[in-house]
Amino acid sequence: MSGGVVENLIIELTRLPGIGRKTAQRLAFFIMGMPGEEALSMANAIIKIKEKARFCKHCFNITEDEVCSLCTDPRRNREKICVVEEPSNLIVIENTKIYNGLYHVLLGALSPIDGITPERLRINELVERVKEGNISEVIIATNPNTKGETTAQYISQVLKPAGVKVSRIAYGLPIGGDIEFADEVTLSKALEGRNEMK
Amino acid sequence: MLTRTEGIVLKTQKYGEADLIATYLTSDKGIINAFAKSPRKTKSRFGSSLEPLTHAKISLWGKEQALPRITQSDIADSFRQIRENYRDFVNISKLVEILISLTPVGIPNKRLFSFFLNILHIVKSSEHELKDALHLITRIRLLAVIGYAPRLKGCGKCGEKSLDFYPDSGTTLCTKCAVTPDRAGKPFMRINNKVIHFYTHSIEWPINISNRLKPGRETLSGLSGLLDKHLTYLLSKKLRSSEFFSGTAAQFR
């Protein structure tokens, strides 16, 4: 490989998820071919996100300010909180455009075997928010896997004394798939959560 | 090389964007790690077959010494009832952590596989009055199967009656044997006869009639504490799942 700087960039790029050495090489040569200002603007964007990005003090979404734009938006329904594991999950739910409430990002999921306890997540902050705010419903949108399910069960239990409605997003089949390829657990969950046709 | 086996998923670890490394307890290869491509994507053909505790028939591609790739995984029993019950899942997590910590990788152990599968079936269908007792019995039995069960029936050196358990020896020791110069000041736990009886029956009785054992709360917490100390000494660290359980159990009483 030619020299230190290119090799250095390849090594740095391989740190990104899903990027192997071959892809990193392609990206490195693409960046080398980019106009100078575009490459610098990309580098500046990385520097800025590390300098300015932080967690919102209410919902723990990523923001530049103390409070994120979702928490300060007066048009949002302030009686509902949707609980997600990571900020990336929040973005996906926002893209659906059917949820207009607030969010709470846990920054992880409970895992007994990995020692991820409730104290390591933002669960206490959620309980405080529910106690202090005028919240009517908490929607748990953690991942539909064992860690997400354990987290959902724990949250539902700790929120019981607050008397708030706690709901869980539905389990089921992905749209566009064939039933014959679904496994029995997904299919049985889809049957359990079936809806009446309107 | 393509190999087929059956295994129970002990744990999974995220790898890359949407991949997973699954740790299996298999019937003929012992504990193995295997790689699965993109099971975290919603339309993955693996579906839920890589969720912890799933008993599945799997096909693996690649050398066993390296990280083989899972090419197929068909669920034999999902054991989702355990995963959906917080207390059961956290208690089974303790067993999984003990298994992973104390069992060597890649050493076939058919007895251990059958034992663990049987435990999952029992916990799944159990209407044990004292589920905490059942979970404690499963922990004791697992330690016995893998050869790390403490000895509580008499002094481990001379066989004399004793109620003092020494975690560093993994056994009870009588006053005579415990005071040798090399053992001066070693910590011990005073236990009672109820704990010893419950422990002995837990190991000797068939597990399917263990619901006849009705230990008191004190016996359960005493023996559970003893096992925790024993495991902490063996592993040189506390079980993560044990700490997790003691930190969250109060919410589920």
Side-chain angles (χ1 to χ4, degrees):
Chain A
M1 184 44 59
S2 54
V5 280
V6 179
E7 181 62 21
N8 194 29
L9 180 59
I10 290 169
I11 292 168
E12 292 302 323
L13 289 170
T14 52
R15 292 174 194 264
L16 298 172
I19 307 284
R21 188 168 170 87
K22 227 171 179 180
T23 312
Q25 267 179 26
R26 274 211 328 270
L27 290 173
F29 285 116
F30 178 80
I31 291 168
M32 267 173 64
M34 279 168 89
E37 63 272 23
E38 279 184 27
L40 283 175
S41 146
M42 189 185 280
N44 276 329
I46 294 173
I47 292 167
K48 272 186 187 159
I49 199 168
K50 289 313 290 176
E51 278 176 358
K52 293 193 171 177
R54 54 175 159 166
F55 294 120
C56 167
K57 73 170 187 178
H58 294 312
C59 72
F60 300 97
N61 182 21
I62 293 169
T63 175
E64 281 182 43
D65 307 308
E66 202 176 357
V67 180
C68 74
S69 57
L70 293 170
C71 288
T72 49
D73 188 346
R75 291 165 299 174
R76 298 197 78 98
N77 181 344
R78 314 195 82 77
E79 289 186 356
K80 287 182 181 171
I81 294 182
C82 178
V83 180
V84 294
E85 287 181 22
E86 301 291 346
S88 56
N89 303 151
L90 182 155
I91 295 166
V92 186
I93 294 175
E94 270 301 279
N95 288 344
T96 64
K97 295 186 173 65
I98 62 163
Y99 177 70
N100 189 34
L102 302 174
Y103 289 92
H104 190 89
V105 185
L106 298 172
L107 303 175
L110 295 177
S111 173
I113 204 160
D114 299 314
I116 311 286
T117 56
E119 293 73 37
R120 290 180 61 179
L121 307 180
R122 302 297 179 177
I123 293 178
N124 289 339
E125 288 85 347
L126 171 68
V127 176
E128 287 306 311
R129 270 183 89 183
V130 171
K131 276 183 191 164
E132 286 167 12
N134 188 22
I135 306 297
S136 63
E137 184 178 3
V138 174
I139 303 163
I140 305 178
T142 50
N143 287 326
N145 55 28
T146 308
K147 288 176 188 174
E149 188 57 37
T150 308
T151 311
Q153 286 177 34
Y154 181 79
I155 291 173
S156 134
Q157 198 69 26
V158 293
L159 288 179
K160 254 185 193 166
V164 67
K165 179 183 171 188
V166 180
S167 59
R168 177 90 169 105
I169 53 164
Y171 295 97
L173 299 164
I175 291 169
D178 278 12
I179 279 182
E180 68 172 291
F181 297 115
D183 66 279
E184 48 266 49
V185 179
T186 309
L187 207 47
S188 56
K189 283 282 192 185
L191 281 167
E192 282 168 15
R194 68 188 183 278
N195 286 324
E196 193 181 337
M197 299 284 286
K198 285 173 189 163
Chain B
M1 190 180 64
L2 184 72
T3 50
R4 290 190 176 91
T5 184
E6 59 174 318
I8 299 162
V9 182
L10 297 180
K11 68 166 189 170
T12 56
Q13 198 175 347
K14 286 182 183 179
Y15 184 80
E17 205 173 358
D19 307 333
L20 276 183
I21 294 174
T23 304
Y24 283 96
L25 174 66
T26 62
S27 57
D28 57 352
K29 300 172 198 300
I31 292 181
I32 59 161
N33 290 314
F35 170 80
K37 186 79 187 154
S38 305
R40 285 154 57 205
K41 291 188 176 170
T42 47
K43 286 189 185 173
S44 161
R45 66 205 157 90
F46 291 113
S48 67
S49 69
L50 296 180
E51 285 301 299
L53 307 184
T54 303
H55 173 212
K57 291 193 166 67
I58 50 172
S59 301
L60 302 167
W61 178 258
K63 288 178 185 168
E64 279 176 31
Q65 294 83 357
L67 193 65
R69 185 170 166 163
I70 307 165
T71 55
Q72 202 178 337
S73 172
D74 298 317
I75 299 172
D77 196 327
S78 67
F79 292 110
R80 74 177 172 111
Q81 296 85 346
I82 299 178
R83 289 197 300 268
E84 288 168 7
N85 181 312
Y86 186 88
R87 284 186 82 92
D88 282 351
F89 179 69
V90 176
N91 274 297
I92 291 290
S93 294
K94 285 188 197 175
L95 296 194
V96 170
E97 198 178 347
I98 294 169
L99 248 179
I100 292 173
S101 307
L102 293 174
T103 315
V105 174
I107 308 290
N109 189 339
K110 280 205 166 157
R111 188 176 162 227
L112 178 60
F113 177 80
S114 310
F115 166 81
F116 195 64
L117 190 57
N118 188 31
I119 290 293
L120 293 181
H121 280 293
I122 288 170
V123 173
K124 174 186 153 186
S125 56
S126 171
E127 284 167 14
H128 204 296
E129 255 178 79
L130 283 166
K131 212 116 190 239
D132 287 347
L134 174 68
H135 288 304
L136 188 58
I137 293 166
T138 58
R139 221 165 358 135
I140 295 166
R141 296 291 285 246
L142 175 68
L143 286 170
V145 169
I146 58 177
Y148 286 98
R151 181 194 154 116
L152 301 186
K153 222 175 177 181
C155 172
K157 286 190 178 172
C158 65
E160 277 293 307
K161 270 192 173 179
S162 170
L163 294 175
D164 295 339
F165 175 74
Y166 286 81
D168 68 309
S169 301
T171 179
T172 43
L173 291 173
C174 67
T175 29
K176 226 189 223 172
C177 297
V179 292
T180 52
D182 59 314
R183 301 203 39 80
K186 296 277 184 190
F188 67 90
M189 269 181 87
R190 175 68 43 92
I191 51 176
N192 60 41
N193 282 321
K194 282 183 185 169
V195 168
I196 296 176
H197 285 149
F198 176 64
Y199 179 79
T200 313
H201 291 321
S202 298
I203 287 194
E204 290 171 358
W205 286 15
I207 199 158
N208 54 345
I209 58 162
S210 63
N211 55 356
R212 293 185 199 169
L213 292 168
K214 309 264 189 249
R217 284 264 148 225
E218 266 181 34
T219 308
L220 280 178
S221 63
L223 189 51
S224 184
L226 182 147
L227 289 183
D228 281 345
K229 284 215 165 97
H230 176 62
L231 283 164
T232 304
Y233 183 79
L234 285 176
L235 301 170
S236 305
K237 61 170 188 179
K238 282 189 176 173
L239 275 185
R240 285 167 168 177
S241 41
S242 210
E243 286 189 293
F244 183 98
F245 183 73
S246 49
T248 62
Q251 301 288 348
F252 287 81
R253 288 233 164 88

